[in-house]
Amino acid sequence: MRPPPAGPPPCSPGCAPRPPDLAARGDADANAAVLAALAEFRPADPVLSEESADDPVRLAADRVWIVDPLDGTREFAAGSPEWAVHVALWERGAGITAAAVALPALGEVHVSGEPAQQHPTRDDLLVAVSASRPPACAAEIAERLGARLVPMGSAGAKAMAVLRGDVDAYVHAGGQWEWDSAAPVGVALAAGLHASRLDGSPLRYNRPSPYLPDLVVCRAELADALTGRAAT
């Protein structure tokens, strides 16, 4: 489990910051709810969750659920709508085979198999990046592609913005964990979007170390421009 980031992000107009203890309760309660559902319906499957101790039994399993019960705790604590719930199923030999990303504050649930929406014609490309720690390569990407960077919270919120057509790509470097991206990547790939490491190599899940250095989710036609040439 990663340590909480220092300080809340700026609150967007109209949002109401939540008490700090409510953010911690949100993490714990969401984790308990997801684990209870999986225990009821898939009791034999191990779970890799941000909010639970890692059980190495998952490494020998054929099916593993990868869960971030509250992705974007900073945003949740600040009253921003840019937080999400991630649930993904990894299967041996197939990778992520089912996934869902819920954006409760927006009333949205996106599941694998949902088609990506048509992207509108824009004068420049829009690339979502972390509002709290944008990647060092973001400025180079923006300059090279004539793109505009759009700071956002939560990996799930950024990836689903690509799915909706609100932005053209989501780029991250500087480190994440499997639970940050497994469900968003599962939904994106099933919708026909591109998702990979920044060098274009596949994203691998249920590894002994759940750390993933970087990520790009984008419209398929932008994959060549965004991978392989973006320095991390």
Side-chain angles (χ1 to χ4, degrees):
M1 184 171 63
R2 66 176 176 228
C11 186
S12 59
C15 73
R18 297 176 171 90
D21 66 321
L22 189 58
R25 283 169 47 203
D27 277 330
D29 290 353
N31 191 54
V34 173
L35 293 183
L38 292 174
E40 179 179 0
F41 295 105
R42 295 293 185 269
D45 295 347
V47 180
L48 172 64
S49 170
E50 178 182 15
E51 300 300 328
S52 299
D54 188 3
D55 187 344
V57 71
R58 67 179 174 83
L59 298 175
D62 291 329
R63 290 164 49 96
V64 177
W65 295 90
I66 303 176
V67 173
D68 192 340
L70 204 170
D71 181 62
T73 305
R74 287 168 54 95
E75 287 71 30
F76 176 80
S80 165
E82 294 174 352
W83 56 278
V85 179
H86 299 174
V87 179
L89 173 63
W90 173 91
E91 296 189 79
R92 188 172 304 280
I96 303 299
T97 58
V101 176
L103 301 168
L106 300 179
E108 298 178 6
V109 178
H110 300 279
V111 298
S112 49
E114 174 185 346
Q117 297 183 18
Q118 184 66 37
H119 285 68
T121 301
R122 294 190 250 265
D123 292 335
D124 54 5
L125 296 177
L126 301 182
V127 178
V129 296
S130 171
S132 59
R133 47 193 183 111
C137 63
E140 184 273 330
I141 290 174
E143 181 178 2
R144 174 163 54 83
L145 300 181
R148 180 158 56 92
L149 302 180
V150 182
M152 297 177 64
S154 170
K158 291 189 279 287
M160 294 308 98
V162 182
L163 184 80
R164 289 194 305 268
D166 295 344
V167 298
D168 302 290
Y170 160 37
V171 172
H172 183 81
Q176 282 184 328
W177 302 96
E178 289 189 12
W179 47 75
D180 290 311
S181 67
V185 163
V187 172
L189 289 174
L193 297 172
H194 173 86
S196 71
R197 296 276 309 277
L198 273 173
D199 63 3
S201 60
L203 292 153
R204 306 292 188 189
Y205 293 95
N206 197 36
R207 310 292 289 177
S209 169
Y211 179 78
L212 279 170
D214 49 58
L215 166 74
V216 56
V217 176
C218 65
R219 292 160 40 192
E221 65 269 25
L222 297 176
D224 287 344
L226 284 167
T227 59
R229 291 180 290 172
T232 60

